[in-house]
Amino acid sequence: MVKPSTLLVLDEPTNHLDIPSKEMLVGINEYKGTVITVSHDRYIIKQIVNRVVEVKDKRLQDYEGNYNYYLEKNLDARERELEREAEIEEKAPKVKAKSKMSKAEKEARKKQKMQAIQQAKAKSKGITKNAKRWN
């Protein structure tokens, strides 16, 4: 434990980490030894990996480059990555920029906001902050 290590093994290092903690993990690039990591977090993989070893069908395939190099050389992996990105795109909510809305859509949105404000006022009508204290 006293001697400096030259090998660090990380198994899913980003599980249960918040975004700032993940950002700090990128600093592992400064580590002088070898880091072996197993992760499904593509952001971290893209940030820290400089060599990919794929384990498939009981064989090892070595790609001496970063994750993008791995995707360039491995057609199956690239196809899976594109499918994953398309799936994420489909699930993302479709939001129109206000400038792209028609006049009718803008008016409908404005009415919805006004109704929400009026409902909130109606709920709290007649009850002041101090009145709530005495009830």
Side-chain angles (χ1 to χ4, degrees):
M1 296 291 290
V2 177
K3 294 180 183 178
S5 66
T6 58
L7 176 66
L8 184 60
V9 179
L10 304 174
D11 183 16
E12 296 291 353
T14 58
N15 280 3
H16 311 295
L17 292 183
D18 58 359
I19 293 173
S21 299
K22 284 183 183 184
E23 290 294 327
M24 289 178 66
L25 188 62
V26 172
I28 205 154
N29 286 337
E30 303 300 318
Y31 182 71
K32 299 296 181 204
T34 300
V35 179
I36 298 172
T37 186
V38 176
S39 181
H40 291 91
D41 187 331
R42 284 169 177 75
Y43 172 76
I44 287 296
I45 292 171
K46 287 178 181 179
Q47 296 297 317
I48 67 172
V49 170
N50 60 16
R51 181 177 176 187
V52 176
V53 178
E54 180 185 43
V55 181
K56 185 177 178 182
D57 299 327
K58 298 181 182 181
R59 303 183 110 189
L60 298 177
Q61 177 65 47
D62 190 9
Y63 298 91
E64 294 204 29
N66 62 15
Y67 186 67
N68 289 330
Y69 175 80
Y70 164 73
L71 291 176
E72 287 172 15
K73 297 298 180 184
N74 188 316
L75 297 176
D76 291 337
R78 184 176 347 149
E79 193 173 302
R80 285 192 308 267
E81 181 77 8
L82 292 172
E83 286 172 2
R84 186 183 142 280
E85 288 174 1
E87 188 176 303
I88 289 171
E89 184 70 28
E90 282 178 17
K91 289 180 182 178
K94 305 294 185 235
V95 179
K96 263 190 183 177
K98 207 170 188 179
S99 61
K100 302 267 184 189
M101 290 181 168
S102 68
K103 196 170 189 176
E105 288 173 318
K106 287 179 185 177
E107 286 298 317
R109 180 181 263 187
K110 191 174 182 180
K111 280 183 183 179
Q112 286 175 339
K113 284 183 181 179
M114 289 303 294
Q115 287 174 346
I117 291 169
Q118 289 172 352
Q119 287 173 351
K121 282 182 181 179
K123 281 184 181 178
S124 65
K125 192 174 186 177
I127 301 175
T128 64
K129 194 174 192 179
N130 287 331
K132 290 179 186 175
R133 289 184 188 164
W134 301 111
N135 291 334

